Amino acid sequence: MTQLVSDIRILDNLLALNLNVSLWSARRKMSQEDLGGAELPPEDLASLGSKRIADPENLKVFGTLKARAFNYLDRHGVRFMSGWAIPEEKAGEIVQELLNIRTEFQKEKEAFLAGYDQKVQAWIEKHHQWGEIIRNSLVGPDYVRARMDFRWQLYKVAPLEQHTDNTAVLEAGLAEEVQGLGGTLFDEVAKSADDIWRRVYHGKTEVTHKALSPLRTLHAKLTGLSFVEPHVAPVADIVQAALLRMPKKGNITGTDLLLLQGLVYLLKDSTALVPHAQKVIEGYGPAFVLDALLAGPGVIAEQDGSSMLVDGAADGDDDEPILPDIPAVDSALPHPAIQSLGLW
């Protein structure tokens, strides 16, 4: 299998972003006094749990905003060291979105703190039987404010090239992190594709144009990070070529849906995806890969120079394949084209 190894020089086009979102859990450790001095096992045997001193429903919004920020960065960057590597050219728009989320976070934080005392009192009244153990652990709004934060650090990463101790240079570890970035990106693509498959395409015989949205998102990520590893741009081209084949109006059915399902299933498996991307690098063109998804097993291996598809054309003919009849689909099984690729 082709090895995915990213070159250290990709750091010239990347910025590292570390996101710190601190949330207050509203939990405090239970004490023996909370249980009326009941005899308990020794601490090396068992420990007490925690108690909530505020309604978790009032804090859900902060977890939602944190997840929104993480999901946004996952869509535009790739996990790197303690955060994400993002394309330098997209840093402005990425930071602007983080600013939007932070503004909402701060607004919700101030609203929560403004009614903090009333919210805590309502929580005590709801659990009046245990009100005393809540009161014993109450904290003030200033304490809570200090524990709720939304911030990030954006910085340029460069290898350590000189040091008085050569071991520090040789064992800096950055090269290994960068070399694995292509593999990390393909793993993230596979994870996203698996989610898309389960949520959107599995067992479907018809989808709307909304089904294309997650593929467009994936395409945008691949395009933005195309310099990370040589096989990334060809995969982006394959996805784009599939999107361009879709009808402009109406639901997506038949061969078009079969193609999308085959594509998503291919994206789920980097072991199969990378050789297909390699064919694009070798000049076969993304249309060749898409036709292979529909044409059956062995197509890529058996093509020679005379029948090679280059930039979506075969000997000047139209790039649309002559398609076989599509058999009925068993919703419990992948489509026949997917099975023919040996991916199932």
Side-chain angles (χ1 to χ4, degrees), residues 8-234:
I8 193 73
R9 289 172 292 184
I10 68 172
L11 291 175
D12 294 339
N13 299 304
L14 288 176
L15 294 176
L17 191 149
N18 187 45
L19 179 64
N20 305 111
V21 183
S22 303
L23 305 180
W24 182 57
S25 67
R27 288 180 178 272
R28 303 284 282 177
K29 186 178 179 181
M30 292 281 287
S31 67
Q32 190 170 6
E33 289 71 24
D34 290 334
L35 301 178
E39 184 177 356
L40 299 173
E43 288 189 0
D44 63 348
L45 174 61
S47 60
L48 289 171
S50 62
K51 54 190 172 185
R52 290 193 174 102
I53 62 173
D55 192 340
E57 287 296 319
N58 295 326
L59 298 166
K60 270 188 175 181
V61 63
F62 302 106
T64 299
L65 290 170
K66 179 178 180 179
R68 178 174 146 192
F70 273 61
N71 289 338
Y72 180 81
L73 291 171
D74 280 338
R75 291 198 304 273
H76 295 276
V78 57
R79 295 295 179 117
F80 180 57
M81 297 196 295
S82 58
W84 290 262
I86 64 170
E88 187 168 10
E89 64 179 19
K90 289 192 173 184
E93 63 183 83
I94 288 173
V95 168
Q96 184 57 57
E97 178 61 19
L98 292 178
L99 283 169
N100 294 340
I101 299 173
R102 185 176 71 181
T103 297
E104 191 171 346
F105 186 96
Q106 296 294 354
K107 179 182 176 182
E108 294 289 348
K109 176 180 173 180
E110 293 306 318
F112 173 75
L113 292 172
Y116 176 75
D117 291 335
Q118 296 91 324
K119 290 182 177 70
V120 169
Q121 186 57 40
W123 185 245
I124 292 173
E125 291 173 1
K126 181 178 180 180
H127 301 282
H128 58 88
Q129 182 181 356
W130 308 100
E132 197 57 33
I133 72 169
I134 299 174
R135 292 189 187 92
N136 288 342
S137 296
L138 288 181
V139 295
D142 289 340
Y143 175 95
V144 177
R145 182 186 300 277
R147 281 154 180 79
M148 300 176 72
D149 199 12
F150 190 108
R151 54 193 172 87
W152 60 86
Q153 303 83 42
L154 185 63
Y155 53 96
K156 193 77 176 174
V157 179
L160 179 65
E161 296 178 343
Q162 291 184 335
H163 193 275
T164 53
D165 187 339
N166 195 46
T167 302
V169 178
L170 294 175
E171 299 297 333
L174 181 61
E176 290 81 1
E177 289 289 330
V178 173
Q179 286 172 6
L181 209 50
T184 300
L185 178 55
F186 271 78
D187 287 343
E188 292 181 3
V189 167
K191 183 179 178 182
S192 296
D194 185 66
D195 180 63
I196 293 169
W197 173 259
R198 288 185 290 104
R199 290 189 301 107
V200 182
Y201 289 101
H202 178 59
K204 298 295 178 63
T205 56
E206 181 176 354
V207 296
T208 68
H209 274 252
K210 288 183 179 180
L212 301 179
S213 179
L215 287 173
R216 291 193 179 104
T217 298
L218 199 56
H219 174 261
K221 173 171 178 165
L222 289 163
T223 301
L225 295 165
S226 59
F227 53 84
V228 165
E229 205 280 334
H231 294 85
V232 178

Side-chain angles (χ1 to χ4, degrees), residues 247-318:
K248 302 300 181 185
K249 296 180 181 179
N251 288 349
I252 300 169
T253 61
T255 299
D256 293 327
L257 178 58
L258 179 65
L259 178 62
L260 291 177
Q261 289 175 313
L263 172 65
V264 174
Y265 218 84
L266 179 62
L267 292 170
K268 287 174 56 177
D269 185 356
S270 59
T271 302
L273 179 60
V274 173
H276 284 69
Q278 182 63 34
K279 285 297 176 183
V280 178
I281 292 174
E282 293 169 2
Y284 282 67
F288 172 78
V289 174
L290 297 179
D291 294 346
L293 288 172
L294 293 166
V299 174
I300 287 183
E302 294 171 5
Q303 293 292 333
D304 59 23
S306 63
S307 59
M308 185 190 307
L309 294 176
V310 181
D311 294 331
D315 299 329
D317 295 335
D318 187 85

